[in-house]
Amino acid sequence: MKARRASTYTLHVLRHPGGVGSFTDWAAFKKDFWAEFFPIDPAKSATLVLRNREQYGQGKQMLDKYIDSFRALVEQAAYPDGLQLCLTFRDGLHPALMEHIDNLAEGHSDDEQIASWYKVAWDQWQLMEIRQELR
């Protein structure tokens, strides 16, 4: 949950004419809260995030955080292992890391095994950090 969204929601509730009292009971608040912060279909939402190449990717975050968030989305989306999943992961990598992996002559990842991609990405990330190529 994003802090900004939670803050906006809280302000909305508190500024509402009835404030917190506008909810008839705990169940009414809980229903409103869940509707605001939890999607109806989490698998579909996770899939849409994974497929949105313009908004989702490693960016400037550390590789381990990207892999962790990617794994969580894959789990939530029930996305099957295979070429499409590996390409989705690859396309989200830091551009320098993606290029480094694409140029490997040996030790390239298996194109259909996501675990292989995680390992190769991690190995190459560490090598690039040592060489200070990630600035």
Side-chain angles (χ1 to χ4, degrees), residues 3-59:
R4 189 175 337 158
R5 250 182 92 205
S7 173
T8 302
Y9 176 78
T10 302
L11 287 173
H12 168 73
V13 169
L14 294 175
R15 288 183 179 159
H16 188 272
V20 178
S22 64
F23 297 104
T24 55
D25 57 13
W26 175 253
F29 169 77
K30 189 175 175 182
K31 180 180 177 184
D32 188 67
F33 182 85
W34 275 85
E36 182 71 25
F37 290 103
F38 297 96
I40 294 172
D41 186 349
K44 182 178 180 181
S45 295
T47 301
L48 291 173
V49 169
L50 283 169
R51 291 187 176 190
N52 188 339
R53 291 187 173 124
E54 293 177 13
Q55 293 183 356
Y56 180 73
Q58 181 183 358

Side-chain angles (χ1 to χ4, degrees), residues 106-121:
E106 292 182 19
H108 201 279
S109 57
D110 179 343
D111 284 338
E112 297 193 23
Q113 298 294 317
I114 195 64
S116 172
W117 273 92
Y118 295 152
K119 181 178 180 343
V120 169

Side-chain angles (χ1 to χ4, degrees), residues 29-89:
F29 169 77
K30 189 175 175 182
K31 180 180 177 184
D32 188 67
F33 182 85
W34 275 85
E36 182 71 25
F37 290 103
F38 297 96
I40 294 172
D41 186 349
K44 182 178 180 181
S45 295
T47 301
L48 291 173
V49 169
L50 283 169
R51 291 187 176 190
N52 188 339
R53 291 187 173 124
E54 293 177 13
Q55 293 183 356
Y56 180 73
Q58 181 183 358
K60 294 182 180 184
Q61 67 182 324
M62 296 297 293
L63 181 63
D64 58 340
K65 290 187 187 240
Y66 172 62
I67 290 174
D68 289 347
S69 70
F70 188 85
R71 281 182 171 155
L73 287 167
V74 167
E75 185 72 27
Q76 190 174 16
Y79 216 90
D81 199 358
L83 181 61
Q84 188 61 47
L85 178 63
C86 294
L87 290 175
T88 300
F89 175 75

Side-chain angles (χ1 to χ4, degrees), residues 91-107:
D91 290 345
L93 291 171
H94 185 286
L97 178 57
M98 185 190 323
E99 182 179 346
H100 203 273
I101 291 171
D102 288 347
N103 291 331
L104 284 176
E106 292 182 19

